[in-house]
Amino acid sequence: MPHESVPVGHGADDNVELRRWGTPPKFDFIPKPHWDLGAELGILDLERAVKLTGARFAVYWDSGGEAGTRTGKLHA
């Protein structure tokens, strides 16, 4: 249950930014979303993840899974 101080919203666009750490990077190119880049590199399979688990999950392949376990971002 959210804390009483959390504003009610209907989606991600209603989120309120309270603070920001550092300055967002500036690129001389248009960065790709991680889901597109991961699929192009063959390390994410979001379509298979939806069939297995539903929305908001990913199946990691090859170096994608290795990178996640090395950084502690994936949990068994």
Side-chain angles (χ1 to χ4, degrees):
M1 177 167 285
H3 189 269
E4 60 191 31
S5 66
V6 176
V8 176
H10 298 288
D13 292 335
D14 295 326
N15 290 342
V16 178
E17 183 176 309
L18 298 177
R19 62 184 162 270
R20 186 178 291 220
W21 183 271
T23 305
K26 296 190 189 242
F27 301 101
D28 58 355
F29 58 91
I30 298 173
K32 294 182 181 181
H34 71 275
W35 52 86
D36 288 343
L37 190 58
E40 287 177 17
L41 294 173
I43 60 175
L44 287 179
D45 189 341
L46 301 178
E47 290 179 18
R48 184 170 297 192
V50 167
K51 292 177 184 176
L52 292 171
T53 62
R56 298 183 182 253
F57 287 92
V59 173
Y60 294 86
W61 295 109
D62 300 322
S63 58
E66 293 171 12
T69 56
R70 288 186 187 137
T71 61
K73 302 286 183 195
L74 300 178
H75 305 282

